[in-house]
Amino acid sequence: MKNRMQDLDFEQTVAFDSVKDFEFTRRAAQRFRQVVSLDGFEDEDADVIFHYLYKEMELVSFGDHLKRYIYERAGIEEPFGEVPQEVYRDIAVDSFRETYTPKSMNPTSTKLPALVNNWLTQASVKRETVFLLGFGLRMSAEDVSDFLTRVLKEQDFDFHNPEEVIYWYCYSKQLPYSKAEEYKENYKSMEPATDKGKVAEVIGGDFIIDTEEKLLKYLACLKAGWDDPMNEKSQAFQEFLRLLEHAKQIIAAMYQKDEEEKCRDKIWKPENITPSYLEKVICNGIPINKMGNLKKMSASILAKHFSQKRFSRQRITNILNHKFPVERFDLLTLEFFIVSQEMEDDDPYDRYHHFIEEAQRILKKCGMSEIYIVNPYECFLLMCLLTDCPLAVFSEIWEMSYEENGDEE
């Protein structure tokens, strides 16, 4: 497989030592390629992947992404790693003042320089902070979208949320925060759309919000409470249900095979597979506490790498009950499980490419950004797919992450 590592779907045009230290994606792609090309990767795959994730992989925080954005926008010439944080802070503070952007969308006594310093050091921030930075740093709609989807790993602009529609329009037209506030106030007293023809025109798919008149028309339709069955949130939930059903079919077949091998009469069907069974199979490597629950996430030394998320029965149930939103983590975990089982005997390289192709299609359909090699969890899944037994390696690494810590619950 080693001679095919040069074609792994990520940026690969330069040698690793020539990649600049602010080029997060290219650096991550180069290191990925180096790791899966190691002599020990095929024989000691779990150990190699675990070592890379825990000891070598660079965790790129929200603050790092924000610094890079300011660095590139400001055209700073000195090496990225040598620029003091004060430089980024001062640039951001000056920009907020020049654009008359408030320091927060909510009342706060904290001074702007302190808030900016905080953003520059955070692993992650709230969604509204990205929207505020969009105005304060004069970001384009595309820039804000990138921060939402790639950096926060959340859904893109929600066009069923009037505030987010207003923000998107203002970024697109480079309008200040004060204008966004004006539109938000107007929305409160706006009369909802009553003309079914106008509503049909807006939800028809060809409607483009490129003027204030069209923005107000769109907001009036939102005020009327219409719902588009093709919106991204609905799509994410539908994709989750589809993948979940597929996973249930695979697990039911696994249990059925066991029954037949033991000459027992029990019949397993997908509807018999509860969230508990899904957890048992997919989270097989995570130890259980005395109460029968997965050990707490904080006991894993990869907790930060995996954003405190596991595909537990509680998480599945909360998503099905609409208490948790469907996230890219959920979709990618299910797709990984499906591909790991259905293509278990396939060439690892083919399996890897099939997963990427399917995952990109699913993410795009759900208004989420494409696979991001800088994200440790996504890098982890991709490395597992290049091994002979992806699910077994996936489970072994989860198990190792708890053993290494030695934390008891």
Side-chain angles (χ1 to χ4, degrees), residues 251-313:
I251 294 172
M254 288 167 55
Y255 283 133
Q256 187 61 46
K257 186 178 179 181
D258 287 343
E259 292 291 335
E260 292 169 0
E261 288 177 352
K262 295 173 182 176
C263 300
R264 295 191 298 217
D265 297 330
K266 182 174 174 65
I267 302 298
W268 286 91
K269 296 180 180 179
E271 53 265 35
N272 301 137
I273 306 301
T274 64
S276 292
Y277 286 113
L278 285 153
E279 175 191 274
K280 185 177 180 181
V281 174
I282 296 177
C283 297
N284 178 259
I286 301 174
I288 303 295
N289 65 18
K290 294 175 183 177
M291 300 297 292
N293 296 316
L294 299 179
K295 281 192 68 176
K296 59 186 179 181
M297 187 66 191
S298 58
S300 167
I301 58 174
L302 295 179
K304 286 184 180 178
H305 300 66
F306 297 163
S307 302
Q308 300 283 343
K309 295 187 181 75
R310 298 171 307 181
F311 204 66
S312 66
R313 64 182 187 272

Side-chain angles (χ1 to χ4, degrees), residues 4 7-9 343 347-359 382 385-386:
R4 298 146 81 189
D7 181 24
L8 288 176
D9 293 302
M343 299 183 72
D347 180 272
Y349 183 82
D350 294 336
R351 184 198 306 131
Y352 166 94
H353 277 287
H354 177 80
F355 171 81
I356 287 183
E357 186 177 326
E358 282 299 298
L382 294 175
L385 287 163
L386 287 167

Side-chain angles (χ1 to χ4, degrees), residues 68-82:
R68 183 180 70 173
Y69 181 80
I70 296 171
Y71 180 87
E72 294 180 326
R73 277 285 302 275
I76 299 172
E77 294 184 358
E78 56 186 299
F80 179 73
E82 297 176 14

Side-chain angles (χ1 to χ4, degrees), residues 126-145:
K126 293 181 179 178
R127 193 173 175 89
E128 70 174 28
T129 299
V130 170
F131 292 133
L132 191 67
L133 283 162
F135 289 104
L137 299 180
R138 296 189 185 92
M139 290 186 184
S140 66
E142 291 75 16
D143 292 337
V144 177
S145 173

Side-chain angles (χ1 to χ4, degrees), residues 145-158:
S145 173
D146 197 56
F147 267 91
L148 292 173
T149 59
R150 281 164 64 95
V151 182
L152 292 193
K153 298 183 283 292
E154 292 186 2
Q155 183 193 341
D156 207 342
F157 285 98
D158 180 2

Side-chain angles (χ1 to χ4, degrees), residues 3 10 17 32 56 62 78 83 86 91 105 107 111 121 131 141 155 169 237 247 251 260 269 302 347 405:
N3 63 340
F10 299 107
D17 57 7
F32 178 93
E56 297 180 10
F62 174 84
E78 56 186 299
V83 180
E86 295 73 31
I91 291 172
M105 291 185 180
K111 295 186 182 301
T121 57
F131 292 133
Q155 183 193 341
Y169 179 78
F237 188 73
I251 294 172
E260 292 169 0
K269 296 180 180 179
L302 295 179
D347 180 272
N405 203 348

